[in-house]
């Protein structure tokens, strides 16, 4: 079946850039999403990219999409302690009903 | 402020009990979803609904059922709770083609 994979942990120093990577298998994805989950909370939509785009920038966030390699990344510039959270990549399943397939989540730890 | 509300943040139930988890959205969304979240496994889809009284199985429906009698409300039912159903349960809603809005989650412990 369709699958989305992410590394589980990333540790960065405050002020550095963070890059969270994701690979997916569905070659006919329409949208790909990044969600953020803070401790004890639900998931919050951070940003998304349409499949015919290569890049999308939104303030400190940059999303890069390589359709050939089925690789998605989220770059957070000037990472702050408030960015510490779990980040989920999600792929819109082409089989209908607006189902999203989520990765396991990357836990970002920001240290001074 | 648009919202998905889950009725309980924390629940403790005994093995064998019937458990109801309630989710209400105020955005007039067509689709509603129930996921469970476990460490290292991410989010796994249990059931979803694309219309009133309509439901579809997700990836892990065993031991669960759902009910959607009204557009705004989607209930997850554990027919006979077991310890392996201890988890965080997340409800979400969406339009036909949009991103999801999630509730805050219900952490269920079955003892």
């Amino acid at each position: 079946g369709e699958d989305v994979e992410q590394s589980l942990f990333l540790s960065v120093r405050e002020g550095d850039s963070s890059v969270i990577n994701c690979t997916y298998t569905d070659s006919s994805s329409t949208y790909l999403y990044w969600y953020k989950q803070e401790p004890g909370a639900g998931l919050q939509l951070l940003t998304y990219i349409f499949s015919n785009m290569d890049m999308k920038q939104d303030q400190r966030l940059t999303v890069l999409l390589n359709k050939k390699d089925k690789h998605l990344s989220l770059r957070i510039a000037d990472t702050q302690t408030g960015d510490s959270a779990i980040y989920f990549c999600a792929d819109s399943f082409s089989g209908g009903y607006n189902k999203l397939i989520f990765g396991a989540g990357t836990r970002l730890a920001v240290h001074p | 402020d648009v919202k998905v509300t889950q009725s309980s943040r924390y629940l403790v139930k005994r093995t064998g009990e019937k458990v109801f988890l309630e989710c209400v959205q105020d955005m007039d969304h067509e689709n509603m979803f129930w996921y469970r979240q476990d460490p290292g496994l991410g989010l796994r889809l249990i059931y979803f609904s694309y219309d009133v009284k309509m439901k579809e199985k997700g990836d892990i429906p065993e031991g669960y059922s759902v009910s959607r009698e009204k557009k705004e409300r989607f209930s997850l039912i554990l027919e006979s709770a077991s310890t392996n159903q201890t988890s965080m349960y997340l409800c979400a809603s969406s339009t036909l083609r949009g991103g999801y809005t999630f509730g805050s989650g219900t952490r269920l412990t079955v003892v």
Side-chain angles (χ1 to χ4, degrees):
Chain A
E2 306 303 335
D3 197 19
V4 174
E5 293 195 355
Q6 306 175 234
S7 54
L8 293 183
F9 298 102
L10 177 65
S11 178
V12 300
R13 192 181 300 277
E14 191 173 11
D16 286 352
S17 292
S18 308
V19 179
I20 302 171
N21 294 300
C22 170
T23 58
Y24 59 97
T25 58
D26 185 358
S27 57
S28 54
S29 300
T30 308
Y31 290 96
L32 293 125
Y33 298 86
W34 284 104
Y35 284 83
K36 177 184 181 182
Q37 185 182 35
E38 295 179 351
L43 277 69
Q44 169 195 358
L45 178 63
L46 263 186
T47 187
Y48 64 92
I49 188 167
F50 190 51
S51 58
N52 69 352
M53 298 169 64
D54 297 325
M55 186 180 90
K56 181 179 179 181
Q57 188 144 6
D58 183 1
Q59 299 182 333
R60 291 191 297 122
L61 304 179
T62 303
V63 179
L64 294 178
L65 176 59
N66 181 328
K67 281 197 74 174
K68 175 175 168 289
D69 293 338
K70 296 179 189 169
H71 183 266
L72 181 74
S73 68
L74 174 70
R75 179 177 180 269
I76 305 172
D78 187 26
T79 311
Q80 303 297 308
T81 53
D83 295 322
S84 295
I86 303 175
Y87 292 81
F88 290 90
C89 168
D91 174 19
S92 56
F93 176 57
S94 58
Y97 297 125
N98 199 35
K99 281 173 62 178
L100 296 186
I101 309 297
F102 287 84
T106 299
R107 184 178 294 275
L108 174 64
V110 183
H111 56 89
Chain B
D1 194 18
V2 293
K3 224 184 263 194
V4 175
T5 303
Q6 294 185 230
S7 53
S8 305
R9 290 298 304 272
Y10 300 94
L11 272 180
V12 180
K13 296 292 181 180
R14 293 193 182 280
T15 302
E17 275 194 77
K18 190 168 186 175
V19 181
F20 294 84
L21 302 183
E22 305 287 347
C23 176
V24 177
Q25 51 100 358
D26 64 1
M27 295 165 284
D28 201 35
H29 282 171
E30 291 83 4
N31 298 328
M32 295 188 76
F33 306 84
W34 275 106
Y35 287 85
R36 65 177 282 176
Q37 181 181 10
D38 301 287
L41 297 177
L43 274 68
R44 292 181 291 166
L45 181 63
I46 304 170
Y47 269 97
F48 66 99
S49 168
Y50 54 90
D51 201 351
V52 176
K53 296 193 188 293
M54 307 304 288
K55 60 185 178 184
E56 292 284 338
K57 292 180 181 178
D59 300 316
I60 51 162
E62 297 79 19
Y64 303 94
S65 62
V66 289
S67 171
R68 194 167 180 202
E69 296 296 318
K70 294 185 178 181
K71 190 175 186 181
E72 66 270 18
R73 186 180 296 270
F74 191 36
S75 303
L76 179 70
I77 303 151
L78 286 66
E79 298 291 342
S80 176
S82 64
T83 54
N84 64 11
Q85 292 179 308
T86 291
S87 187
M88 169 73 93
Y89 290 88
L90 292 166
C91 175
S93 71
S94 79
T95 57
L96 288 174
R97 290 196 173 276
Y100 290 9
T101 302
F102 280 86
S104 298
T106 296
R107 187 167 293 283
L108 173 67
T109 302
V110 182
V111 296

